[in-house]
């Protein structure tokens, strides 16, 4: 049976999304030392624009742009993107970037930090940076042969719905330890988040006060 137009379209969407995920994993590994903070891919009439967030963009760009040039060539060769253009932006507040904090937490675990100390330290640093809330999950063989999942949280956390999609930033990293792989998930609520239950009462404007006074004075 021949594929319908809808099936072909769905197949193209799946292939494109898989390619973007593979590109994200590749750039994450290549720019780990620079503090990978996220990725945005956009189609433009001139080609494909890749915006890379990094804690230390100088390491991604390299001396006279040599590193980013070789990275662009590798992306075009391996992932077949049309005329890719990589733009590097510095993360203004690394403590509010979930991916960067997840990487820092996994590095702390690999250096020998106890998971509870590392988890509490990460939460404290995120909240001190101004986040409205954060959730840190560490999962793996933490204290024995059995798999465990430990959560550290503070402030407001949204688990579902539109507020989660709009305001919760999520990052994931893994730490390689002798007992096995430890998974680290960090979720941060944006300081600018406007939650449905937050009500702001504004003072009346001068025009409203004048109109109310005139209405009261009228017979």
């Amino acid at each position: 049976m021949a594929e319908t137009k809808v099936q072909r379209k769905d197949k193209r969407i799946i292939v494109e999304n898989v390619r973007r995920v593979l590109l994200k994993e590749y750039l994450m590994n290549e720019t780990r030392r620079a503090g990978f903070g996220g990725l945005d891919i956009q189609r433009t009439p001139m080609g494909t624009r890749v915006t890379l967030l990094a804690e230390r963009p100088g390491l991604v760009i390299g001396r006279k742009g040599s590193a980013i040039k070789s990275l662009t060539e590798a992306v075009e060769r391996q992932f077949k993107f049309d005329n890719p253009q990589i733009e590097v932006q510095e993360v203004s507040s690394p403590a509010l970037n979930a991916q960067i904090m997840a990487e820092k937490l996994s590095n702390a675990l690999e250096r020998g930090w106890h998971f509870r100390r590392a988890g509490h330290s990460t939460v404290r640093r995120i909240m001190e940076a101004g986040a409205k809330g954060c959730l840190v999950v560490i999962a793996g063989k933490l204290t024995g042969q059995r798999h465990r999942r430990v959560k550290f949280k503070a402030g407001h956390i949204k688990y579902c719905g539109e507020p989660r999609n709009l305001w919760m930033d999520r990052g994931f990293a893994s730490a390689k330890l002798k007992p096995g792989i430890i998974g680290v998930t960090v979720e941060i609520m944006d300081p600018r988040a406007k939650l449905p239950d937050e009500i702001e009462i504004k003072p009346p404007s001068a025009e409203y006060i004048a109109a109310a006074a005139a209405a009261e004075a009228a017979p």
Side-chain angles (χ1 to χ4, degrees):
M1 183 182 295
E3 289 184 333
T4 64
K5 185 180 294 185
V6 175
Q7 288 175 330
R8 288 196 298 269
K9 182 179 179 181
D10 292 342
K11 188 176 180 179
R12 287 197 302 268
I13 292 174
I14 293 172
V15 171
E16 178 66 18
N17 288 338
V18 169
R19 186 168 62 155
R20 292 187 176 214
V21 170
L22 293 176
L23 175 62
K24 181 179 179 180
E25 292 180 353
Y26 173 77
L27 292 178
M28 187 186 302
N29 293 328
E30 291 295 319
T31 61
R32 191 178 300 275
R33 290 178 55 248
F36 178 84
L39 188 70
D40 180 54
I41 304 173
Q42 293 183 353
R43 293 277 189 177
T44 66
M46 302 298 294
T48 305
R49 183 172 62 197
V50 179
T51 304
L52 179 65
L53 300 178
E55 185 179 5
R56 296 180 294 276
L59 295 179
V60 182
I61 298 173
R63 186 177 180 86
K64 296 183 179 180
S66 59
I68 195 170
K69 182 179 179 181
S70 61
L71 194 64
T72 303
E73 293 174 352
V75 168
E76 185 175 11
R77 183 175 62 255
Q78 296 185 27
F79 298 94
K80 309 300 181 184
F81 280 100
D82 299 332
N83 189 23
Q85 300 172 356
I86 299 179
E87 176 185 350
V88 185
Q89 295 182 359
E90 183 178 3
V91 178
S92 57
S93 182
L96 294 177
N97 186 286
Q99 183 60 45
I100 291 178
M101 295 309 295
E103 291 286 349
K104 289 183 180 295
L105 178 52
S106 67
N107 291 336
L109 294 174
E110 290 179 345
R111 292 197 306 269
W113 281 43
H114 191 272
F115 70 92
R116 292 194 182 278
R117 178 191 173 196
H120 286 301
S121 176
T122 301
V123 169
R124 183 169 61 251
R125 182 176 177 182
I126 293 172
M127 297 304 293
E128 288 176 352
K132 277 202 169 182
C134 69
L135 172 66
V136 174
V137 181
I138 303 176
K141 296 180 181 178
L142 302 177
T143 56
Q145 292 300 315
R146 294 189 62 183
H147 181 280
R148 290 182 58 193
R149 181 186 297 268
V150 181
K151 296 182 180 181
F152 307 87
K153 55 186 177 179
H156 294 281
I157 302 169
K158 292 299 180 182
Y159 295 95
C160 61
E162 186 178 5
R164 174 181 174 83
N165 297 332
L166 288 177
W167 303 114
M168 294 294 290
D169 182 27
R170 185 178 186 275
F172 177 81
S174 58
K176 298 179 181 179
L177 305 180
K178 287 184 178 180
I181 301 295
I182 304 296
V184 174
T185 304
V186 176
E187 297 189 31
I188 301 175
M189 177 170 282
D190 196 303
R192 301 166 298 175
K194 298 293 184 181
L195 302 179
D197 56 349
E198 293 183 358
I199 300 175
E200 180 182 359
I201 301 177
K202 297 182 178 180
S205 63
E207 293 81 2
Y208 177 81
I209 295 176
E216 186 176 353

